[in-house]
Amino acid sequence: MMSSGGYTTLGNENLASGSVPAVSDPPLVITTVKFQDSNLQTFPPSQSQGKISGGYRPPRDADDSFSKTADEPQAGGVGGWMGLFKVANYRPYFDVDTTDVLERIKESLIPFKGSFSEKTASNPDLYGPFWICTTLIFVAASIGTFVTYVAHKLQKKDWDYDINMITWSAGLFYGYVTIVPLGLYVILKYFSAPSGLVQLWCLYGYSLFVFIPASCLSVVPVEIFRWVIAGVAGFMSATFVALNLRAHIMSAGERWFLIVVGIFLLQLALAVVLKLYLFTVTV
């Protein structure tokens, strides 16, 4: 071996013998990898709400945003009016099962108990009111169409289907169950007796259920009987709403009686409009 110009070369003797210098193996390095505990969220969550899994916690009424101050944070990190546009905020109001809906329907058919608002105060729902209104729209429109059909056939006259019955029924019931509770909410707010907006929607939605069997009984082609059915249904619905709101509205001061009477008469007016438009036949 000889060195020339800073380079090291092998001697001729090593080349001649054909031997290659041995290369030593690199030392074995053992590396220990330690994984930290995973912080991934488990599914389903251990604190999930609702009746499907986890413990049930009563939902927060949607109108809490009206009573909170600007500096108070809202659930989900969205404060003020912006929380009204989040679908997740309305999910608890559809978290009911068949037993809950049937129990609330039975409460609406016994109007003199006046315990509906108390029982649903911690968990008002919009599922029942939505399907009650939707069912009532199609039942009223279809029964009203059938009543006019029978009347024309008995008189042996031509009959034409009126598609406007469905659109008119949808506007009447959806509009009533939405606008009237909203107006009542503003009035109670003005008289310093605020009530939950979702609670009012829930109450008015279930109050319309009695008109479904009343519409079915209106098939009987007797005008006096139809007026009796409309009157009884309107009285039951009006009593149900007025009695459930009376205890709360009494805190509005001396004018509470006028508010309750107005609620009662408005509900009766709905029954009269339903009878005059859908179940009054002119041949």
Side-chain angles (χ1 to χ4, degrees):
M1 179 182 299
M2 57 182 178
S3 176
S4 175
Y7 294 94
T8 303
T9 60
L10 294 175
N12 293 333
E13 62 276 13
N14 290 335
L15 295 175
S17 61
S19 61
V20 180
V23 180
S24 61
D25 296 333
L28 182 62
V29 179
I30 301 176
T31 303
T32 302
V33 180
K34 183 179 180 181
F35 294 93
Q36 297 180 352
D37 295 337
S38 175
N39 58 356
L40 296 177
Q41 184 180 2
T42 58
F43 185 86
S46 58
Q47 298 180 351
S48 58
Q49 300 180 8
K51 298 187 176 182
I52 299 176
S53 62
Y56 178 74
R57 186 174 66 183
R60 176 178 57 85
D61 201 349
D63 73 322
D64 285 350
S65 58
F66 296 100
S67 60
K68 289 182 179 295
T69 60
D71 298 333
E72 189 173 357
Q74 298 282 335
V78 180
W81 287 88
M82 294 301 297
L84 298 177
F85 299 98
K86 292 188 63 178
V87 178
N89 288 344
Y90 298 94
R91 189 178 304 165
Y93 303 120
F94 293 86
D95 187 20
V96 289
D97 52 27
T98 305
T99 304
D100 294 329
V101 175
L102 292 178
E103 184 66 26
R104 295 176 182 190
I105 288 175
K106 287 190 288 186
E107 286 282 336
S108 69
L109 296 177
I110 310 175
F112 296 101
K113 294 180 64 176
S115 58
F116 181 88
S117 294
E118 181 181 355
K119 293 182 178 180
T120 61
S122 61
N123 184 26
D125 75 285
L126 298 178
Y127 179 85
F130 171 77
W131 284 112
I132 288 174
C133 287
T134 304
T135 304
L136 181 58
I137 289 169
F138 287 98
V139 169
S142 59
I143 296 297
T145 301
F146 180 74
V147 167
T148 57
Y149 171 79
V150 172
H152 281 76
K153 291 302 180 182
L154 290 177
Q155 297 293 331
K156 297 181 179 180
K157 294 184 178 181
D158 295 334
W159 171 81
D160 295 325
Y161 175 72
D162 187 7
I163 190 63
N164 292 326
M165 279 194 173
I166 295 181
T167 56
W168 192 89
S169 299
L172 173 65
F173 295 115
Y174 280 147
Y176 183 87
V177 82
T178 302
I179 297 176
V180 172
L182 185 60
L184 181 60
Y185 171 84
V186 175
I187 293 174
L188 295 179
K189 200 84 169 179
Y190 175 78
F191 286 102
S192 300
S195 178
L197 180 57
V198 176
Q199 179 71 20
L200 293 176
W201 278 331
C202 179
L203 176 65
Y204 270 86
Y206 280 98
S207 71
L208 299 182
F209 178 81
V210 69
F211 291 108
I212 296 178
S215 299
C216 296
L217 292 175
S218 297
V219 174
V220 179
V222 179
E223 191 67 14
I224 298 178
F225 179 78
R226 291 173 179 170
W227 273 111
V228 171
I229 292 298
V232 172
F235 178 80
M236 291 179 62
S237 180
T239 304
F240 170 72
V241 175
L243 290 183
N244 277 281
L245 291 176
R246 181 185 61 178
H248 179 78
I249 297 177
M250 288 178 66
S251 61
E254 298 178 354
R255 299 182 179 179
W256 72 268
F257 183 75
L258 296 178
I259 300 176
V260 173
V261 171
I263 292 172
F264 186 88
L265 294 179
L266 191 61
Q267 203 78 359
L268 282 180
L270 176 65
V272 173
V273 172
L274 179 63
K275 167 63 180 70
L276 291 177
Y277 185 81
L278 295 178
F279 302 109
T280 298
V281 182
T282 56
V283 181

